Amino acid sequence: MRYHGLDLNLLAVLDALFTEQHVTRAAGRLHLTQSAVSAALGRLREHFDDPLFVLVGGSMLPTSLMQQLYPRIHDVLAIARDIAVANTGFDPGNTQRRFKILASDYVIAVLMPHVQRQLAKIAPGIDLQFVTLVPQRAVEQGGLVDEAVEQQHCDLVILPHAHRSLRHPSSALFEDGFRTIACRDNPHITDGLTLERYLALRHVVRAPGAGGPGSMEAEFLASQGLERRVAVTVEQFALIPEFVLGSDCIATLHQRLALLYAQRFSLLVLEPPLPIPPTLQVMQWHAYQDSDPALLWLRQLLLDSATI
């Protein structure tokens, strides 16, 4: 269909190229040949009188015009998808779709493997793409969500309630407390973990890098006027047990993650010497996708998995 000289079918090509930054991958996403996508890009370049994408280091990067166009293209396609599925049934067993989810490596580790196993059983045509959430201190509240759903076209964002966006729908996913992990051979914890001993021990801490906020337990300790000895700082939760094992270091992290690591490694899970307030993880999605039956189904699957 042409509208003001533009074949509206080609908007899906721009969407795929913006996401994949590669002609071959975009073709696979659209179930088209590489030559068909290249030809479509040629027609789009002629219509807009702009290259739209330029090859830089093996990636097709969007031009300034394309970056301006993309949020509107994404919104148009989201509306079209809602219209297409209006009043239609959803059959997970026969659906072919890929969902893009932005979440912390913590949430991905404790929740998503179970979700994927469920999908393999009841919705084998649904694939998941995960993007790791890295909070930035300078970003205003909701900024991460707004960018993810409006520019990176993520279907879902999972993050702490305190960082949610007020511009898009949200739903509580799960609440999680904190626990401390230590090597089973750590000689400093044989008779318990007092606050004095806790603060004196060497800690392994996850911090997301320059410009990012401190870990939640670090911010809580600071609010109480307490200071601990940070011996090792890493950017990924998955690295924490590697530095706790075989050492006198301890680490305080989300309870679900602590229990997961204790199953895999020779670690003890201990109550911190002072109660740390739990955190609430929430799901958010673009307002245009509020009635998407496939996304509604996936959100319910996530809720069911989080309560196990």
Side-chain angles (χ1 to χ4, degrees):
M1 174 183 175
R2 290 188 176 275
Y3 191 75
H4 290 280
L6 174 64
D7 183 350
L8 297 183
N9 293 313
L10 299 184
L11 294 181
V13 174
L14 290 178
D15 178 70
L17 283 170
F18 192 94
T19 302
E20 302 294 344
Q21 298 186 355
H22 195 278
V23 172
T24 302
R25 291 197 296 269
R29 184 185 185 92
L30 295 167
H31 304 289
L32 297 173
T33 64
Q34 181 177 338
S35 59
V37 172
S38 296
L41 179 58
R43 296 196 296 274
L44 288 161
R45 284 169 166 167
E46 182 178 355
H47 175 84
F48 288 105
D49 191 24
D50 186 89
L52 299 176
F53 296 91
V54 293
L55 186 62
V56 178
S59 297
M60 298 289 289
L61 299 184
T63 64
S64 176
L65 175 63
M66 184 60 210
Q67 292 179 49
Q68 296 175 43
L69 290 173
Y70 182 73
R72 286 174 282 175
I73 292 171
H74 176 57
D75 288 349
V76 167
L77 292 175
I79 295 172
R81 184 166 59 225
D82 276 356
I83 293 173
V85 301
N87 294 325
T88 61
F90 171 67
D91 180 5
N94 293 312
T95 295
Q96 300 290 324
R97 186 159 169 186
R98 174 182 293 269
F99 289 100
K100 185 176 181 181
I101 301 174
L102 178 69
S104 68
D105 53 332
Y106 144 62
V107 170
I108 294 171
V110 302
L111 181 61
M112 297 307 173
H114 176 77
V115 171
Q116 176 54 37
R117 289 191 289 270
Q118 293 298 107
L119 289 176
K121 295 177 183 178
I122 59 180
I126 293 181
D127 299 325
L128 301 177
Q129 176 186 354
F130 297 114
V131 179
T132 303
L133 170 70
V134 180
Q136 297 294 322
R137 190 185 300 275
V139 176
E140 63 182 23
Q141 180 178 343
L144 285 170
V145 176
D146 297 340
E147 179 182 357
V149 299
E150 295 171 9
Q151 299 181 32
Q152 302 176 31
H153 81 275
C154 292
D155 296 287
L156 278 176
V157 179
I158 302 173
L159 78 174
H161 179 266
H163 300 293
R164 74 195 188 285
S165 170
L166 300 180
R167 295 177 54 185
H168 296 285
S170 66
S171 175
L173 182 56
F174 66 85
E175 190 175 76
D176 203 3
F178 288 85
R179 292 294 183 271
T180 298
I181 58 173
C183 182
R184 290 184 178 275
D185 298 330
N186 191 326
H188 302 293
I189 59 171
T190 54
D191 57 347
L193 195 60
T194 64
L195 179 58
E196 182 180 6
R197 183 171 299 168
Y198 175 86
L199 296 175
L201 285 172
R202 292 152 45 89
H203 290 252
V204 182
V205 176
R206 186 259 191 182
S215 58
M216 292 182 179
E217 82 281 359
E219 293 184 348
F220 171 73
L221 291 172
S223 72
Q224 303 300 304
L226 300 173
E227 185 176 353
R228 60 184 171 175
R229 181 184 177 188
V230 176
V232 179
T233 302
V234 296
E235 294 189 359
Q236 300 173 14
F237 283 111
L239 294 174
I240 290 178
E242 302 295 341
F243 290 93
V244 174
L245 281 169
S247 76
D248 61 354
C249 290
I250 62 173
T252 301
L253 60 168
H254 301 281
Q255 176 174 306
R256 292 185 183 219
L257 201 56
L259 295 175
L260 178 66
Y261 290 157
Q263 292 175 2
R264 297 178 178 175
F265 305 98
S266 181
L267 295 172
L268 290 175
V269 178
L270 308 167
E271 289 274 359
L274 71 170
I276 302 175
T279 61
L280 175 64
Q281 298 289 326
V282 300
M283 298 182 287
Q284 293 210 258
W285 54 93
H286 199 291
Y288 286 131
Q289 293 179 280
D290 204 30
S291 59
D292 181 338
L295 192 57
L296 281 167
W297 181 86
L298 179 63
R299 297 202 306 264
Q300 186 60 51
L301 178 62
L302 288 168
L303 280 169
D304 293 341
S305 298
T307 57
I308 294 176

